[in-house]
Amino acid sequence: MSRRVVLAVASGVVVLGGAGAFALAYAGEQPPSVAHSAARYTAPAGDRDGSLTFTTDVTASSGVKEVKVLAWPANSPFAKKAITAKDMASVESAKCKPSGGDTVRCVYTVPVTGADAGSSPRGAWHVAVLATSKDGDSKLLTKAADFNVA
C-alpha cells in the first residue's frame, strides 16, 4: 500500500472521529423533547369532583429538572398573545418518574369541582407545557394537547 493511501485513510479517520465527537457534543446541547402528550378531562357529576389529567414523555440528555403545565381556554387572551416561558414560571409542575434512558413520564392531575366547571369557559382548551433540563435548556409547547369542556 502506498504511503499516500495510508495518509489519506488516516486523515479520513481523524476527520470522521472529530465529526463524531462534535455530533455527540452537539446532541448533548439539544433542548428537551416532549412527546406522546395527552389530556383527559372528566366533568364533575353530582357530588363527585371531575379532573384534568395531562401526561407526557420528556427526554433530556442532562436529565429533566421540571415540567410546568398550564391549561388554557382557546378563546382566552393567550390565543392572540402567545404564551411565553415567563407566563409559565408561576404555574404548577407535573410529577415525573423515570421511564427509561433519558426519558421521564410526567403526569399532572388537578381536581375540577362543580364550582370550577361552572365558572370555566365552554369549548376547546389547550395544555401548554414547559420542560426544563438540568443543564438549563428548555422547550415550550403552547399546544401540547387539547381537550373539550362541554
Side-chain angles (χ1 to χ4, degrees):
M1 192 182 279
S2 77
R3 184 170 184 219
R4 192 177 304 172
V5 171
V6 171
L7 288 175
V9 169
S11 297
V13 168
V14 169
V15 168
L16 289 175
F22 174 77
L24 285 174
Y26 181 73
E29 297 174 10
Q30 296 297 307
S33 64
V34 178
H36 311 294
S37 299
R40 183 174 38 113
Y41 173 78
T42 304
D47 62 349
R48 182 185 57 82
D49 285 348
S51 65
L52 169 64
T53 300
F54 171 76
T55 59
T56 194
D57 294 330
V58 179
T59 303
S61 58
S62 67
V64 176
K65 179 180 177 183
E66 70 180 346
V67 175
K68 301 272 196 164
V69 178
L70 174 67
W72 59 279
N75 60 357
S76 75
F78 286 134
K80 292 178 183 165
K81 177 192 161 278
I83 294 174
T84 66
K86 186 177 178 181
D87 295 323
M88 299 291 290
S90 62
V91 302
E92 295 178 334
S93 296
K95 294 181 181 173
C96 301
K97 294 182 180 179
S99 64
D102 297 330
T103 302
V104 295
R105 167 56 60 119
C106 301
V107 178
Y108 173 78
T109 301
V110 61
V112 178
T113 66
D116 293 334
S119 65
S120 295
R122 302 286 182 246
W125 283 63
H126 306 293
V127 179
V129 61
L130 175 65
T132 305
S133 65
K134 289 183 179 177
D135 66 6
D137 287 333
S138 63
K139 175 74 172 186
L140 173 63
L141 295 175
T142 59
K143 295 180 182 176
D146 302 313
F147 64 97
N148 193 41
V149 175

